[in-house]
Amino acid sequence: MSQKNIRNFCIIAHIDHGKSTLADRFLEITSTVAGRDMKHGQMLDTMDIEQERGITIKLQPVRMDWVCNGEKYVLNLIDTPGHVDFSYEVSRSLAACEGAILVVDATQGIEAQTLANCYMAIEHDLEIIPVLNKIDLPSADPVGRAKEIEDALGIPKESIIAVSAKEGTNVEQVLDRVVEVIPAPTETSVDDELKAMIFDSIYDSYKGVVIYVRLKSGSVKRGDTVYFLNTKKSIEVLEVGYFKPKYTPTDVLNAGEVGYIVTGLKSVRDARVGDTVWKSGAAKMEMTDASALPGYNVVRPFVFAGVFSTDADEYQLLRDALGKLQMNDSALTFEPEHSGALGHGFRCGFLGLLHMEIVQERLEREYDLTLIVTAPSVSYVVVTKDGEQTISSPSELPDPSAIIEIREPWVRVEILVPKDHVGAVITLCTEKRGISKNMQYLDQNRVLLVFELPLASIVVDFYDNLKSATSGYASMNYEYLDYRAGALVKLDIMIAGEVVDALSLILHKDNAFYVGRDLTSRLKDLIPRANFVIPIQAAVGSRVVARETLSAYRKDVTAGLYGGDISRKRKLLEKQKKGKKRMKMVGKVELPQEAFLAVLKKGN
């Protein structure tokens, strides 16, 4: 296939605007997947959890054949996630393409992630094809939404294609527009050096590490020796092929194509996403003379949580499971952690709360583990007399006397909201220590609010509160800014006089009393009573800011007495009192999983 007849593109949109459904219609119309093999739901969402939740988690490439004006074309499509937690997957997809289909729901219009993904595509200098989806719904307003796209993004409304991905209406027009508008890959000679960008890599139980590549120049075939320019590793290519959407082996992959290479490696770390696969051309140049393709920014987790197994014997199983999961998810990080209350576990880094939920569910489902996950927190930079250090857990905080300042991560949040709910959103952001930066009316009814907020304020329940305050109509997107110094303190939770590290928090000092009072009250209801009094305290340093007392079970030891002197009853009560005092000294309090989840509802 000539390079001028190849088109590489991806689908981008806000969550639940119909990306995967549109991809299904592409597969059906191009006969890439036979009608009898089309299952109910999204074909490119291969994981069970994706099918159940109705969301795309991993990018998924597929190759399709299409005839336009009597000429055959190869279309390489990459279906991308829509949730903000997986925007890293979107950025990798855009770097492997020359164009993007921007899908907008004709009933809901532009949402926050629509804007974010569109701007990301413009930064990559991609050709954008706007598509209005779900025109078959009674509440669809194609004319009004097209005007909205024109006003917000500057895309002429005449170029917007109105489709119904569910019914298949006008989907052929989209594929024809892809051929007409999206440029072909840059022409190169077959004798050029091989340069291919790795835009994803997974671990296959039978094949080892499989890398997904976009060839910029040259060609690669089975038996070639290729090099990874960043990791300096060399491998022999065991198999090459493309996606239909399953692995389809072929003799050779040429410049401009998207496909896979089976490396035989045992660790995804050796084939990092963003690395350049290289092989010398006719000039037989050395690897030291080769220049790598522009890669990706290293993905950096912002949300951290402790993951512990309820059974101490499953620690090694948990380690192995996290290692295997990390092979298919480069955004996941983990390191060993020990907690006095929970034993040995791991401190894991995630891109967001949904990412954390997905990882926990996959660990429990795919590896049959029973887990306790502590409340999520963010990373902080602590400046001491000895320099700076980054911590991801409150337990890592050094002695307060040595701390000069603590810096927390801040993010830029874009919120799209109907004008009737602007006041409620501004109030919510202000309560979370937000700084207003901009307010823009996109049309008569929709307003774009831009705030700068501490990441800790939005990482837990901000999205739920936002949906509640706006009757479900608001959408949001955020991007990392920098670390800023703040009046932050460590809030310790003490149960029966012992500090429980897993429940400790770092928060703003003005909120310490309110959060401490709320937490102790919640824990009082969740911790099971014992035969002795259990004090539950929240403290900042040596100062207790809130306290609740969980009363002991009362056993009536005088029930068997009848008549006689009062001294008999007093003697039994004194004996019971001494026993409870002794029990309080040696007694242990067992914390249920709900106690750790209570921290999720804290305020910031």
Side-chain angles (χ1 to χ4, degrees), residues 27-153:
L27 297 179
E28 200 170 19
I29 289 170
T30 59
S31 301
T32 303
V33 177
R36 65 178 180 273
D37 295 329
M38 290 294 291
K39 62 185 179 183
H40 178 70
Q42 282 73 30
M43 281 294 298
L44 296 182
D45 289 346
T46 53
M47 294 179 355
D48 291 340
I49 195 168
E50 288 180 314
Q51 291 284 335
E52 290 173 15
R53 286 178 172 247
I55 59 174
T56 303
I57 297 170
K58 288 286 292 179
L59 63 86
Q60 189 65 40
V62 64
R63 174 170 170 164
M64 305 175 292
D65 298 315
W66 184 244
V67 178
C68 181
N69 298 326
E71 201 168 351
K72 291 184 179 179
Y73 291 86
V74 167
L75 308 181
N76 292 309
L77 161 70
I78 301 179
D79 186 26
T80 63
H83 196 279
V84 63
D85 277 14
F86 305 109
S87 57
Y88 181 62
E89 299 271 326
V90 180
S91 68
R92 293 184 349 219
S93 305
L94 294 173
C97 301
E98 280 81 33
I101 296 175
L102 178 67
V103 180
V104 178
D105 190 327
T107 63
Q108 299 179 20
I110 289 178
E111 303 278 6
Q113 203 62 29
T114 312
L115 291 172
N117 288 338
C118 183
Y119 294 151
M120 206 185 298
I122 292 171
E123 287 174 9
H124 283 80
D125 200 23
L126 301 191
E127 193 68 41
I128 297 173
I129 299 175
V131 170
L132 267 177
N133 191 21
K134 303 186 183 180
I135 61 171
D136 55 305
L137 297 181
S139 58
D141 179 17
V143 177
R145 299 309 181 192
K147 180 71 167 60
E148 186 179 306
I149 293 173
E150 185 178 52
D151 294 341
L153 301 175

Side-chain angles (χ1 to χ4, degrees), residues 187-233:
E187 287 280 352
T188 60
S189 168
V190 292
D191 293 328
D192 284 348
E193 57 179 334
L194 166 69
K195 277 190 178 181
M197 173 181 284
I198 304 174
F199 64 87
D200 200 9
S201 60
I202 68 163
Y203 182 80
D204 186 281
S205 303
Y206 302 100
K207 297 177 182 290
V209 174
V210 180
I211 56 175
Y212 296 1
V213 293
R214 158 69 198 277
L215 273 70
K216 297 289 187 179
S217 62
S219 62
V220 61
K221 62 183 184 298
R222 180 178 178 177
D224 283 351
T225 299
V226 299
Y227 301 88
F228 298 126
L229 291 184
N230 287 333
T231 57
K232 309 297 184 187
K233 282 191 91 65

Side-chain angles (χ1 to χ4, degrees), residues 124-343:
H124 283 80
D125 200 23
L126 301 191
E127 193 68 41
I128 297 173
I129 299 175
V131 170
L132 267 177
N133 191 21
K134 303 186 183 180
I135 61 171
D136 55 305
L137 297 181
S139 58
D141 179 17
V143 177
R145 299 309 181 192
K147 180 71 167 60
E148 186 179 306
I149 293 173
E150 185 178 52
D151 294 341
L153 301 175
I155 298 173
K157 59 184 177 184
E158 294 78 17
S159 66
I160 299 171
I161 306 173
V163 307
S164 168
K166 186 177 180 181
E167 303 291 338
T169 309
N170 296 337
V171 174
E172 294 94 339
Q173 291 184 28
V174 179
L175 292 175
D176 288 340
R177 184 72 64 83
V178 166
V179 172
E180 295 166 5
V181 174
I182 295 178
T186 306
E187 287 280 352
T188 60
S189 168
V190 292
D191 293 328
D192 284 348
E193 57 179 334
L194 166 69
K195 277 190 178 181
M197 173 181 284
I198 304 174
F199 64 87
D200 200 9
S201 60
I202 68 163
Y203 182 80
D204 186 281
S205 303
Y206 302 100
K207 297 177 182 290
V209 174
V210 180
I211 56 175
Y212 296 1
V213 293
R214 158 69 198 277
L215 273 70
K216 297 289 187 179
S217 62
S219 62
V220 61
K221 62 183 184 298
R222 180 178 178 177
D224 283 351
T225 299
V226 299
Y227 301 88
F228 298 126
L229 291 184
N230 287 333
T231 57
K232 309 297 184 187
K233 282 191 91 65
S234 66
I235 57 135
E236 181 180 339
V237 175
L238 303 181
E239 179 183 306
V240 298
Y242 48 83
F243 309 91
K244 277 265 183 179
K246 296 181 179 178
Y247 293 144
T248 305
T250 187
D251 295 331
V252 63
L253 284 176
N254 292 309
E257 293 188 301
V258 173
Y260 69 88
I261 298 175
V262 178
T263 65
L265 295 169
K266 298 303 179 186
S267 172
V268 173
R269 296 183 189 89
D270 295 329
R272 292 177 185 164
V273 169
D275 203 346
T276 301
V277 180
W278 180 86
K279 181 188 70 172
S280 65
K284 301 296 181 186
M285 60 191 291
E286 296 295 326
M287 187 174 69
T288 52
D289 300 326
S291 58
L293 295 167
Y296 307 107
N297 294 328
V298 178
V299 61
R300 190 164 83 182
F302 294 116
V303 178
F304 296 86
V307 179
F308 299 85
S309 175
T310 54
D311 186 351
D313 295 336
E314 292 182 348
Y315 174 77
Q316 192 59 44
L317 295 176
L318 177 59
R319 175 190 285 276
D320 295 341
L322 283 169
K324 291 176 182 176
L325 207 59
Q326 191 185 44
M327 288 181 174
N328 292 337
D329 186 354
S330 58
L332 173 66
T333 64
F334 67 93
E335 58 184 26
E337 181 183 42
H338 177 75
S339 166
L342 301 174

Side-chain angles (χ1 to χ4, degrees), residues 383-387 401-404:
V383 181
T384 63
K385 299 169 185 175
D386 300 326
S401 61
I403 297 175
I404 299 173

